[in-house]
Amino acid sequence: MTQVHDHTATDEAPQSSTAAPDAATSPAATTDAAPAINVEWLGEYLLGKWAKERKESRTLMSNPEFHRVDGLSMEDHRERVLHQLSLLVENKAVHRAFPIGLGGDDNHGGNIAAFEETVLADPSLQIKSGVQWGLFGSAVVHLGTKEHHDKWLPDIMSLKTPGAFAMTEIGHGSDVASIATTATYDADTDEFVINTPFRAAWKEYLGNAALHGKAATVFAQLITKDVNHGVHAFYVPLRDDSGPLPGISTEDDGLKGGLNGIDNGRLHFDHVRVPRTNLLNRYGNVDENGNYTSDIDSPGRRFFTMLGTLVQGRVSLDGAAVLASKLALNIAIKYGSERRQFTASSNTNEEVILDYQRHQRRLLPRLAQTYAMSFAHEEFLEKFDGVFSGRTDTDADRQDLETIAAALKPLSTWAALDTLQEAREACGGSGFMAENRLTQMRADLDIYATFEGDNNVLLQLVAKRLLTDYSRKFAGADAGAMAHYVADQVNEAAVNRTGLRRFAQNVVDFGSTARSIGYVRDTDSQRQLLTDRVETMVADVAGKLRSASKLPQAEAAALFNSHQNQLIMTAQAHAELLQWEAFTRALEKIEDKDTAQVMTWLRDLFGFSLIEKNLAWYLMHGRISTNRAQAITDYIDDRLLPRLRPQALDLVAAFGLTDELVRAPIASGIEAKRQNEARDYCAARRASGEEPVHEKDLKQKKRR
Amino acid sequence: MTQVHDHTATDEAPQSSTAAPDAATSPAATTDAAPAINVEWLGEYLLGKWAKERKESRTLMSNPEFHRVDGLSMEDHRERVLHQLSLLVENKAVHRAFPIGLGGDDNHGGNIAAFEETVLADPSLQIKSGVQWGLFGSAVVHLGTKEHHDKWLPDIMSLKTPGAFAMTEIGHGSDVASIATTATYDADTDEFVINTPFRAAWKEYLGNAALHGKAATVFAQLITKDVNHGVHAFYVPLRDDSGPLPGISTEDDGLKGGLNGIDNGRLHFDHVRVPRTNLLNRYGNVDENGNYTSDIDSPGRRFFTMLGTLVQGRVSLDGAAVLASKLALNIAIKYGSERRQFTASSNTNEEVILDYQRHQRRLLPRLAQTYAMSFAHEEFLEKFDGVFSGRTDTDADRQDLETIAAALKPLSTWAALDTLQEAREACGGSGFMAENRLTQMRADLDIYATFEGDNNVLLQLVAKRLLTDYSRKFAGADAGAMAHYVADQVNEAAVNRTGLRRFAQNVVDFGSTARSIGYVRDTDSQRQLLTDRVETMVADVAGKLRSASKLPQAEAAALFNSHQNQLIMTAQAHAELLQWEAFTRALEKIEDKDTAQVMTWLRDLFGFSLIEKNLAWYLMHGRISTNRAQAITDYIDDRLLPRLRPQALDLVAAFGLTDELVRAPIASGIEAKRQNEARDYCAARRASGEEPVHEKDLKQKKRR
């Protein structure tokens, strides 16, 4: 933090290699000498490490057989998606992550990359195939052992056994540890008895449960010899051709807010018996005498290890949210570059709506955010691949992966909904037409914010990790170091409170916007501002919660609860920093000068937007002076937006979304065609003298 | 502004009659002595001046025949809604605004009030009836004359003539003046020739156009004797029983993001001839010789007068948005008061989710906002009724009404979408089930943000009015006064820049949160902070745009454009102030002490949330010190949320939404029933000793 203060005092901004050049002094000048980005190269770069798999998937998803058809009944949509799943099998599109021995590729990153792209065809297709191979099948892979693999995976891979992933209950979603379904070992018959004790314990919202599922991986409290060993997964047959098996009841969730191509439903088990060996026993086993054993001694760690396999759901939702945002911006920016409305600068030619500042303000920061999300996702996916391939699979790696997932998935799924909605509104009535895809995509992605972990719950996990790391930092330190740190904090607070630092800034900055903005225009200063905020927020909330460990449980809970919002905001700040860091690292590998320049402006827009959003915090904590605060908004409005406006079409072109993937008529050029036809008609009328004179022009003439 | 500064200097907050009492020193203490609001009285109060009409409408809308049925095909939904419209006629529910002479009541406010409530049955029903009687019929009433009324209104009122309101074109929505359809007078036949010159001029998105419309009020450029007199409305027959009439082409818009009970479509006119007398000629007439006359000489004023009748669309969207927000909060707060998740304060009992601070942060400020919107809407509706009844119908009244409409409709329609989404997420997976209504309501209301005037365009109209008023303020002033004002501004800026005032505040406030918050806790201080912000923003942007009048058109346009975002934010601040003022005025009539207290807390939460949202502005402009800024957030978290939490159920109960109007299973008590069943089951198991011991508890015991 002291480094930040030093900057402040000297007002000398260090210029890093990726600093935004500030030669252009006016928007107009910038536009004249606009750099040209290498769209093809940038497109490849965005596809990332698994470009091949992404392209294969995009090619497949260009096939109309995979496309969502608007207006289908729920029943027809469900059948269509089930059929699409069989087409995925035929096209060998879904086995990349399965063991090589069974016909898979053991390619975890490539599998997720290809899987994410299916969202462009139909999110129902994505999620239903995710249920089948990413959850149901994956539970057998990761929680089962060789015998299970050999016995069940071939039919799961071929879709001969469609299956459900029966974890969530009506009573418990994100709090998996509290599920109430039981699996009690009966030594007399060498079976587990799966049972649903009450209504709240019905398995709920499960894809494949209402209609198509023939089996399920059922999560239940494993009980043997009167001891509950916590949540474990069991392979449970659900249906044969004549319907649900004895003891199993199903209900259909019916119509949902989206994803209606999936047959979500509920399951109830009335003392359903399965062989003991149906326990997926990689992390915990019961022998024929009912003795429980596990390689992981701690029940808590065992639980988190088993649940760790779920992280791939969060990876792929993060990636799908990035793609949906790219689709939305592709549509809105293309349309906004053609659509003309209102005559501002002349009497005859209407303005292209993307030339309006407000329209730029609505779309360009979201474009910057989407790039940040895209680069952050790529790093996340590589981390995931490292862990799941076993290359970098330590406990620390797994914990980091969980934290990254819990940080990025909330931000990107919320951002996708926000961007889809802004794009919808930016396209006006056209945006509301189903054929232009924005409304349906938004409806389908709505649930991404709360499934595979509720976003607010996930962010609390991140906050917990930040607090743990923070306290660890001081665990080995002696009392003196801690006291010194606290004293620093107090000093800093005192300085902030009297406003001395800010006062100094103001005197130096007075009247000089250019020098003010120099402070944050370079990479290092942006990093410092963003990092400093996260660190200060963590230290601040940690300080407030410090007494919790000494309090009785109820009081400690109340203390935590009174800072819950602050904890979540802290986690969000951390996640934003992760995105910004990923974007910044991505800049380093761009060699083409023009591309690097434009991408740096875009990264700056992302960084500045984050700082602007949290400006009150920066002002309150004395990190930015009043003048510098205003300069941030001015720099976005006067420099970055005008510079990026002419780049917008290229920046969405780099997403590489072909017409078959976009499929929105308003992004196809029809708007420009209509505009040109109208303009030509009017010009011809004026030229031929057929155009009637306007009453108001007549009146103006008379007045003269 | 100096008043604000005086407050700051003395740090003595004046206590108004509606100041929030601050006797309780801890949330716990507050909860213990929680006041009890008079729900019944408050419910009546919220229903407002047209409580009778609202109740009549709610009773009617409780009838299942009017309810949206999920999962209908578009075709069936359209037929159902058409049939519902005929039921509205049978029940005499839609004629309140029509002339008494024709069987109406000339009751404009009551008509809109009753109409708004229909959104609770199905937004498609609301909007389709709005098209028929509020737009198509209303155009004949307000733009036509007695002959037209007698000829067409009876069949419009009875639905014998379903009709479209053909104003918007593919090429022009919010910019109505630029529509390209022409109506050229042909003196030889005494007819108008309605023509669509090119594709962009097709009438678009019109309810009743695809299927049911037998006629339309078509807006077109009126041309006679080679002069274009601007946009006028014409009554044009569209279809007979065998289909579209000669020269008329129609297209179906097909599936939309919502409102699929309405048959939106396009219309094209190929030199369609209608009698001259089909011109709705209240504000402009053409005689048989082709001479144009109008009582309103200025074409601009004439255009705005004609379009003024459209304001009732904005009034009713504002009211419908308020109702949708009430519905969403009713569902989410009831569910949040029953749903339990995670054990925080004990090992056995899970917490009710509304007891979590974050959950309160998500729902309670939106509850406060909804109350503000509700009171603001009531004032808006009374203003509307005054103008349309002719009681208070001056030019100034109409302009004020337009500005209020342009300010409130954007805020409330955006807020409704935001609240519906937050409620959806707050209900987790249950919120995504169609039966719980949040997703469908959101999908239907999506378009409210851009129809009847795009929200961003409307806010610019507000900004324009603010600038006009501002410049008028100085129009009569001499140069000395203006200079003095500017000097004041400059002085103020200088003071802000050096941070002197803020410094003084900090010294006084240091360490005293209670005294800091005293500054804004009372009504007058909140008003001053909110008003000051609006006034300063207006003055600021006006100053920046001052040179525009001296610039060439293109440069002036560029100058305006470079401040477009600022203009819109200024308009938004003004609109928020309108809502806050309405809420504050509403407090004055509450006599019951407990109710007044709770409602004052709620108003404070609204005011504080506005200030917190714009905290950076207040800090940058030296209006709030750093400590006071932190105190605002603390006051929300530590005082207002804990005080309002126990009131939440009563506050939504006062919305008076019966089970028939809500119809969401999760708001019916089933969640509490499930929770209780689960709890009782577990308690009985523990009591009988059947509950297996947990492995982790065993391990803990062993370790001891």
Side-chain angles (χ1 to χ4, degrees), chain B residues 334-546:
Chain B
K334 278 192 181 168
Y335 182 71
S337 306
E338 295 181 359
R339 175 80 171 171
R340 291 174 180 276
Q341 209 71 184
F342 292 105
T343 51
S345 57
S346 79
N347 269 326
T348 47
N349 285 327
E350 292 173 300
E351 309 296 316
V352 168
I353 58 176
L354 194 54
D355 282 339
Y356 289 108
Q357 185 196 46
R358 176 70 164 189
H359 217 74
Q360 293 166 16
R361 261 276 179 186
R362 293 164 73 185
L363 297 178
L364 299 185
R366 289 177 170 89
L367 181 63
Q369 183 186 37
T370 298
Y371 266 85
M373 281 157 49
S374 188
F375 291 124
H377 174 68
E378 179 67 17
E379 293 189 354
F380 177 19
L381 189 56
E382 289 184 21
K383 180 92 195 162
F384 163 81
D385 186 68
V387 168
F388 275 64
S389 68
R391 265 199 326 278
T392 50
D393 185 15
T394 65
D395 265 12
D397 285 314
R398 289 204 169 237
Q399 279 168 26
D400 285 351
L401 179 64
E402 284 288 342
T403 306
I404 295 169
L408 294 184
K409 180 263 187 185
L411 264 61
S412 60
T413 52
W414 274 330
L417 296 182
D418 166 68
T419 297
L420 283 159
Q421 181 65 22
E422 198 65 51
R424 190 315 268 162
E425 293 181 30
C427 296
S430 290
F432 193 58
M433 299 297 109
E435 63 176 13
N436 290 320
R437 300 191 62 204
L438 296 165
T439 54
Q440 187 59 54
M441 190 58 85
R442 199 202 168 285
D444 285 335
L445 264 69
D446 182 356
I447 192 66
Y448 287 34
T450 53
F451 73 0
E452 300 289 324
D454 176 280
N455 282 357
N456 280 294
V457 174
L458 291 178
L459 287 174
Q460 284 176 81
L461 293 181
V462 175
K464 197 175 154 190
R465 169 69 188 273
L466 292 172
L467 288 178
T468 309
D469 286 359
Y470 179 82
S471 65
R472 242 181 232 150
K473 211 159 120 189
F474 299 108
D478 62 4
M482 186 72 183
H484 184 252
Y485 180 85
V486 173
D488 270 358
Q489 290 281 110
V490 171
N491 275 338
E492 188 208 28
V495 172
N496 287 340
R497 277 191 188 143
T498 55
L500 287 177
R501 187 177 335 105
R502 209 163 36 227
F503 181 77
Q505 270 191 17
N506 275 305
V507 169
V508 175
D509 286 344
F510 193 87
S512 164
T513 302
R515 290 185 66 195
S516 298
I517 205 63
Y519 175 57
V520 284
R521 222 186 53 233
D522 66 290
T523 299
D524 289 343
S525 300
Q526 281 178 49
R527 175 180 290 118
Q528 250 164 347
L529 281 170
L530 296 170
T531 308
D532 177 30
R533 178 159 180 260
V534 176
E535 287 178 355
T536 307
M537 288 176 90
V538 172
D540 184 27
V541 74
K544 287 176 180 163
L545 297 176
R546 199 159 24 192

Side-chain angles (χ1 to χ4, degrees), chain A residues 60 154 178 211 244 258 288 325 330 435 488 603 636 641 673 695:
Chain A
L60 198 60
S178 298
L211 289 176
E288 59 273 32
S325 302
N330 180 302
E435 64 176 13
D488 270 0
R603 193 282 317 268
I636 292 174
L641 296 180
K673 203 174 142 193
E695 180 189 338

Side-chain angles (χ1 to χ4, degrees), chain A residues 82 84-107 111 128-129 131-141 148-163 208 235:
Chain A
L82 179 66
Q84 287 169 339
L85 256 59
S86 67
L87 294 178
L88 289 177
V89 175
E90 277 177 34
N91 285 280
K92 302 186 196 313
V94 283
H95 299 154
R96 293 181 180 90
F98 284 87
I100 291 179
L102 291 163
D105 295 331
D106 248 332
N107 176 359
N111 174 63
K128 180 134 173 156
S129 71
V131 168
Q132 175 66 17
W133 296 292
L135 291 172
F136 169 60
S138 182
V140 175
V141 170
H148 301 132
H149 295 178
D150 294 342
K151 188 169 173 189
W152 295 316
L153 285 184
D155 286 353
I156 291 173
M157 291 168 73
S158 72
L159 200 64
K160 196 172 158 193
T161 309
N208 278 334
Y235 187 92

Side-chain angles (χ1 to χ4, degrees), chain A residues 170 172 228-229 257 302 339 350 355 357-358 414 424-425 432 446 456 503 561 564-565 693 695, chain B residues 170 172 228-229 257 302 339 350 357-358 414 424-425 432 446 456 498 561 564-565 693 695:
Chain A
I170 299 175
H172 291 97
N228 182 341
H229 293 278
R302 193 189 309 141
R339 174 79 171 172
E350 291 173 299
D355 283 340
Q357 186 196 44
R358 175 71 165 190
W414 275 330
R424 191 313 269 162
E425 293 181 28
F432 193 59
D446 181 356
N456 280 295
F503 181 76
N561 193 37
Q564 191 190 27
N565 198 51
V693 61
E695 180 189 338
Chain B
I170 300 175
H172 290 96
N228 182 342
H229 293 278
R302 192 189 309 141
R339 175 80 171 171
E350 292 173 300
Q357 185 196 46
R358 176 70 164 189
W414 274 330
R424 190 315 268 162
E425 293 181 30
F432 193 58
D446 182 356
N456 280 294
T498 55
N561 193 36
Q564 191 189 26
N565 199 51
V693 61
E695 181 189 340

Side-chain angles (χ1 to χ4, degrees), chain A residues 399-410:
Chain A
Q399 278 168 27
D400 286 351
L401 179 64
E402 284 288 342
T403 306
I404 296 169
L408 294 184
K409 180 264 185 183

Side-chain angles (χ1 to χ4, degrees), chain A residues 17-31:
Chain A
S17 61
T18 52
D22 207 353
T25 50
S26 80
T30 314
T31 314

Side-chain angles (χ1 to χ4, degrees), chain A residues 233-472:
Chain A
F234 300 82
Y235 187 92
V236 182
L238 288 184
R239 286 185 179 85
D240 58 20
D241 291 339
S242 59
L245 298 172
I248 292 173
S249 314
T250 70
E251 285 180 359
D252 195 322
D253 280 332
L255 209 70
K256 304 182 296 293
L259 297 182
N260 281 305
I262 307 169
D263 57 325
N264 293 82
R266 305 177 197 110
L267 294 177
H268 170 267
F269 303 95
D270 183 5
H271 300 89
V272 171
R273 287 173 172 272
V274 295
R276 178 178 54 86
T277 51
N278 278 29
L279 165 65
L280 298 174
N281 62 347
R282 177 162 168 197
Y283 296 109
N285 192 36
V286 172
D287 68 19
E288 59 273 32
N289 299 316
N291 295 314
Y292 181 85
T293 50
S294 170
D295 290 345
I296 306 176
D297 189 56
S298 153
R301 237 190 97 217
R302 193 189 309 141
F303 173 72
F304 284 108
T305 304
M306 287 197 267
L307 254 64
T309 61
L310 286 177
V311 78
Q312 57 187 332
R314 292 170 196 165
V315 186
S316 53
L317 295 190
D318 184 56
V322 172
L323 279 159
S325 302
K326 288 177 177 174
L327 176 70
L329 289 166
N330 180 302
I331 294 169
I333 286 177
K334 278 193 182 169
Y335 181 72
S337 305
E338 295 181 0
R339 174 79 171 172
R340 290 175 179 276
Q341 210 70 184
F342 292 104
T343 52
S345 58
S346 80
N347 270 326
T348 47
N349 285 327
E350 291 173 299
E351 309 297 316
V352 169
I353 58 175
L354 195 54
D355 283 340
Y356 288 108
Q357 186 196 44
R358 175 71 165 190
H359 217 74
Q360 294 167 15
R361 262 274 180 186
R362 292 165 71 185
L363 297 178
L364 299 185
R366 288 177 171 89
L367 181 63
Q369 182 186 37
T370 298
Y371 265 85
M373 280 157 50
S374 188
F375 291 125
H377 174 68
E378 179 67 16
E379 293 189 355
F380 177 18
L381 190 55
E382 290 184 21
K383 180 91 194 163
F384 163 80
D385 187 66
V387 168
F388 274 64
S389 69
R391 265 199 326 280
T392 49
D393 185 15
T394 64
D395 264 12
D397 285 315
R398 291 207 168 233
Q399 278 168 27
D400 286 351
L401 179 64
E402 284 288 342
T403 306
I404 296 169
L408 294 184
K409 180 264 185 183
L411 264 61
S412 61
T413 52
W414 275 330
L417 296 183
D418 166 68
T419 296
L420 284 159
Q421 181 65 21
E422 198 66 51
R424 191 313 269 162
E425 293 181 28
C427 296
S430 290
F432 193 59
M433 299 296 109
E435 64 176 13
N436 289 319
R437 300 190 62 202
L438 296 165
T439 54
Q440 187 59 54
M441 191 56 88
R442 199 201 169 285
D444 285 335
L445 264 71
D446 181 356
I447 192 67
Y448 287 33
T450 52
F451 74 178
E452 299 290 322
D454 177 280
N455 282 357
N456 280 295
V457 174
L458 291 177
L459 287 174
Q460 285 176 81
L461 293 181
V462 175
K464 197 176 153 189
R465 170 70 186 273
L466 292 172
L467 288 178
T468 308
D469 286 359
Y470 178 82
S471 66
R472 245 183 230 147

